[in-house]
Amino acid sequence: MPGIETHCMEIGLMDQLASQDTPVHRLDPRAKLLTTLMFVATVVSFDKYAISALLPFFAYPVMLMTVGRIPVPYLLRKILLVAPFAILIGIFNPLLDRETFITIGTLTITGGWVSFLSILIRFALTVEGALILLASSGIYGVCLALDKLGVPRVFTVQLLFLYRYLFVIADEGLRMVRAKTIRSFGTHDMGIKVYIHMLGYLLLRALDRAQRVHSAMISRGFDGHIQSMKPLKLRPGDIMFVCVWSLLFVLMRIHNISLLLGSFITEIFQ
């Protein structure tokens, strides 16, 4: 049960990180959202063999993590949690693409391994960018930014509710696990039928709890709109943040900064 409680607490850790007061957190969520979209679009636009050209893009998440005081271990755990999906996508590349890409001494590296590594790098960059956006703005800030940018309200409200009601079902599930542990005296093997009944009962309890929450929201004036106590307002610093980083992304997309830097260092020491 301690493991379940830990996972339930981690669901809300993103909101705790988003409540910090740092220069990154004070940026308008729309500015961070647009910059992240530009970052992701630029990263995924590279060809399948790009590796060195992608490395300079790590400057963006590293800078935001440092200034925003976002813990690296927490982000790494989240990235590793979904890493199997990226591995599954590219694991067959070395089998399908056997053409020699580069030879280092007696070591021959095929194009399949290069494209597989490129997929992993792009996966790490895009997921890291999305997680940092959530950790610095919170799901509420992201949904509010989407709403202000013209995304259909039915999508933004449903996205916000989907996240919020995770806490409802997690809380009900934790109560059931505690009750099961008390009544079974620590016995773990209770049969599949018991767990099926527990799953069905969990759904019913979550629906009942969700209806009570919805009634409470209606009684407090909820009308289907995402309300904000502090209106969003773009400041010059927000616009500069978007423009400067977008310009850097375009430059890093056009020029291979890693190769240019390597050539510059080589010329210095020759």
Side-chain angles (χ1 to χ4, degrees), residues 8 11 160-176 202-214 217:
C8 291
I11 296 177
L160 180 60
F161 281 178
L162 176 64
Y163 176 77
R164 290 306 179 192
Y165 278 101
L166 283 177
F167 294 95
V168 175
I169 196 169
D171 183 52
E172 294 295 338
L174 187 57
R175 291 183 182 182
M176 291 185 63
L202 173 62
L203 178 61
L204 293 176
R205 290 187 60 169
L207 288 173
D208 181 66
R209 177 83 176 277
Q211 289 176 353
R212 297 200 304 270
V213 172
H214 182 258
M217 293 172 60

Side-chain angles (χ1 to χ4, degrees), residues 89-125:
I89 292 174
I91 193 62
F92 296 105
N93 284 19
L95 302 177
L96 300 175
D97 186 359
R98 297 175 176 270
E99 184 178 352
T100 300
F101 186 84
I102 188 173
T103 301
I104 305 176
T106 59
L107 178 63
T108 300
I109 302 176
T110 63
W113 285 110
V114 175
S115 62
F116 179 44
L117 181 58
S118 178
I119 288 175
L120 295 181
I121 293 176
R122 278 181 283 185
F123 163 80
L125 285 169

Side-chain angles (χ1 to χ4, degrees), residues 1-2 177 180-181 184-192 194-195 198:
M1 190 168 66
V177 169
K180 175 258 181 188
T181 304
S184 62
F185 300 99
T187 303
H188 297 285
D189 187 12
M190 299 181 64
I192 188 64
V194 174
Y195 289 104
M198 288 179 64

